[in-house]
Amino acid sequence: MKNPVSPIAGAACLSIALLLTACGGGGGGSSTPAPKPASSAAPSSTALSSTAPSSTALSSTAPSSVAPSSISSSSKLSSSSAASVGKCTVDGKQWNTCTGDSTNWGFENGQYCIAQQFCPANRTSLPVATMRTAPVDANATAKTQAIYTYLKSIWGQKTLSGQQDLTWKDSIDMAGRVFTDTGKYPALMGYDFMNYGMTANWVEGIKQTQEAIDYANKGGLVTFAWHWRDPALLNTASVNDAQFYTKDTDFQIPVKDGALDTGSAAYAQINAGIDLIAAELKKLNDAGVSVLWRPLHEASGNNGDGWFWWGRTRTDGVPQSFAQILLWRHMYDRLTNQHGLHNLLWVWNGQNAAWYPGDEFVDIVSHDIYDSSDNKTYKSQLATYTQARKYPAENKMVALSENSYIPDPDKIATDGAWWLWFMVWNDSDTAAGVTSSGNFWTGEYYNTNAHKTKVYNHNNVITLDELPVF
């Protein structure tokens, strides 16, 4: 769920009480932003078992990290001439199950297939593999490793407080609004590279890198998302018109014969976009800032019908989840190996089991929740939490990477829904204290002032002043 800030980009998302994913949005193509109505995103609680992470899982020895340049053959998307047998339903479509060595999607005998063990219908249990002791990037900086170790140590006991910045309005200080209402600053601030690459003089939100550096220098943690605008329009005269919603762009991940089509114009355009953001991530790295990096967010959209171009429904026979996995892995390789960025902890937010890129490429799993049925009961969202835990084969920490209502810390503890952090979405462009559906923090549309105060002063919630020095 986001606040679209462009008349071109803005369209209300579905508001269905039992969606498995949050409604995606957000974007600035205009200097006159408009708020977006809230949407729900809580799956049915009857469909999932309820198990909190055990203390044993949190402290167990993890398998050794996989070096980004030496991914094992078992983790690659399979390519074989063997015939495929069996069927698996993904996002309402049937696919053959792979017969070759595959733990994910594959490409066999000219056909796309999915590993039987990766088929969502067969992934109903919590992971049994232990959690890694280090980030998936074996060359992660010492500070990034220290942050990972800290996060691992608190998961199952504490929750980091988080607040999303107002990306497209530089003058509004979301961290300041939190402090005004609670007397505390969030431990984690969320930023977005959404408007980077745009050139118009009315464009805001291109100071996010520096704002993140400033917050990190205060002792805070930072996370970045990227509403990735149409890569085909980057470095063109139309860049300021570029959008990211599927309905507003025809851009599609280029796939050919089970791999990214490296000879296509789209592939070069994707690389140009990644390289643009790599320059910003390098500034953060050079400033000593580690980033909880959440690209390609909400990829699966609504039941596999992606809200953004990186999850769009395809007509070329390529599973859109397969295409997103290829792009995720390519981005991981390009940022980590080619650009040498080792200050990233990779936060996957695909929100659908069939879209999971693999344990070697993910540090933290997250989910976005905009639950219109909550009605200020501040549920723990146990069902969604448990579902997110089932996406990986290894135990991974689970975060609430976007939300409207803040889960009650007491209910989190009682239910064992130990979100690693929550991240209240940003406000619309109003004065502080205005109650509006577009204001996710200020006012009392979602969270009452009493609830905010309780959360930010709760023993189980970590605020900026309680973070260690990394």
Side-chain angles (χ1 to χ4, degrees), residues 359-392:
D359 288 330
E360 299 93 335
F361 308 92
V362 174
D363 289 302
I364 297 167
V365 171
S366 75
H367 221 289
D368 299 350
I369 301 177
Y370 296 87
D371 181 5
S372 63
S373 69
D374 186 271
N375 197 28
K376 295 182 180 177
T377 59
Y378 308 120
K379 295 179 288 190
S380 73
Q381 301 295 344
L382 174 62
T384 309
Y385 174 82
T386 306
Q387 178 173 327
R389 286 201 64 209
K390 294 177 182 178
Y391 293 147

Side-chain angles (χ1 to χ4, degrees), residues 393-458:
E394 298 173 358
N395 271 285
K396 301 282 186 184
M397 294 174 278
V398 178
L400 178 54
S401 43
E402 291 183 26
N403 60 277
S404 51
Y405 300 101
I406 306 172
D408 187 317
D410 291 322
K411 294 180 180 180
I412 287 176
T414 298
D415 295 344
W418 284 106
W419 298 104
L420 181 60
W421 69 76
F422 64 78
M423 180 62 59
V424 179
W425 198 246
N426 55 34
D427 292 338
S428 56
D429 183 9
T430 71
V434 175
T435 295
S436 163
S437 62
N439 288 341
F440 290 91
W441 175 266
T442 202
E444 297 188 280
Y445 190 92
Y446 299 102
N447 301 289
T448 64
N449 291 328
H451 182 59
K452 296 173 195 174
T453 300
K454 172 185 176 177
V455 169
Y456 265 79
N457 290 276
H458 198 283

Side-chain angles (χ1 to χ4, degrees), residues 137-331:
D137 176 7
N139 297 312
T141 65
K143 184 173 184 178
T144 304
Q145 292 184 49
I147 291 173
Y148 178 87
T149 299
Y150 169 72
L151 296 177
K152 187 172 180 287
S153 74
I154 67 168
W155 187 53
Q157 304 174 61
K158 303 279 187 178
T159 296
L160 295 168
S161 55
Q163 177 60 52
Q164 182 71 21
D165 190 40
L166 188 53
T167 303
W168 43 266
K169 192 67 176 179
D170 295 336
S171 63
I172 292 181
D173 179 6
M174 292 303 303
R177 288 188 173 187
V178 171
F179 182 80
T180 297
D181 288 345
T182 68
K184 301 273 190 176
Y185 284 102
L188 176 65
M189 276 297 293
Y191 301 96
D192 198 322
F193 291 126
M194 177 174 66
N195 288 349
Y196 280 73
M198 300 178 78
T199 59
N201 58 13
W202 48 259
V203 174
E204 298 191 53
I206 54 176
K207 300 177 182 178
Q208 293 280 282
T209 301
Q210 187 58 51
E211 289 181 25
I213 291 171
D214 293 343
Y215 204 75
N217 287 340
K218 293 178 182 177
L221 296 171
V222 302
T223 179
F224 267 87
W226 181 19
H227 281 81
W228 189 350
R229 295 179 181 276
D230 188 339
L233 298 185
L234 180 66
N235 298 323
T236 73
S238 300
V239 66
N240 297 309
D241 297 321
Q243 302 296 334
F244 35 74
Y245 286 125
T246 302
K247 66 182 183 59
D248 295 323
T249 171
D250 294 326
F251 194 86
Q252 180 169 275
I253 300 170
V255 179
K256 181 180 180 181
D257 298 332
L260 289 179
D261 184 358
T262 58
S264 65
Y267 179 77
Q269 292 159 352
I270 280 173
N271 285 340
I274 294 174
D275 295 347
L276 171 73
I277 299 308
E280 300 305 316
L281 293 170
K282 186 177 188 302
K283 292 176 187 176
L284 289 154
N285 179 68
D286 292 346
V289 179
S290 297
V291 177
L292 293 158
W293 174 229
R294 188 176 69 106
L296 307 183
H297 71 289
E298 298 177 355
S300 62
N302 178 24
N303 296 323
D305 185 11
W307 295 307
F308 306 113
W309 63 257
W310 53 86
R312 74 179 322 126
T313 301
R314 304 174 68 103
T315 59
D316 59 357
V318 178
Q320 59 263 39
S321 49
F322 176 98
Q324 179 262 173
I325 289 170
L326 289 174
L327 181 56
W328 178 279
R329 293 186 177 192
H330 174 67
M331 182 186 293

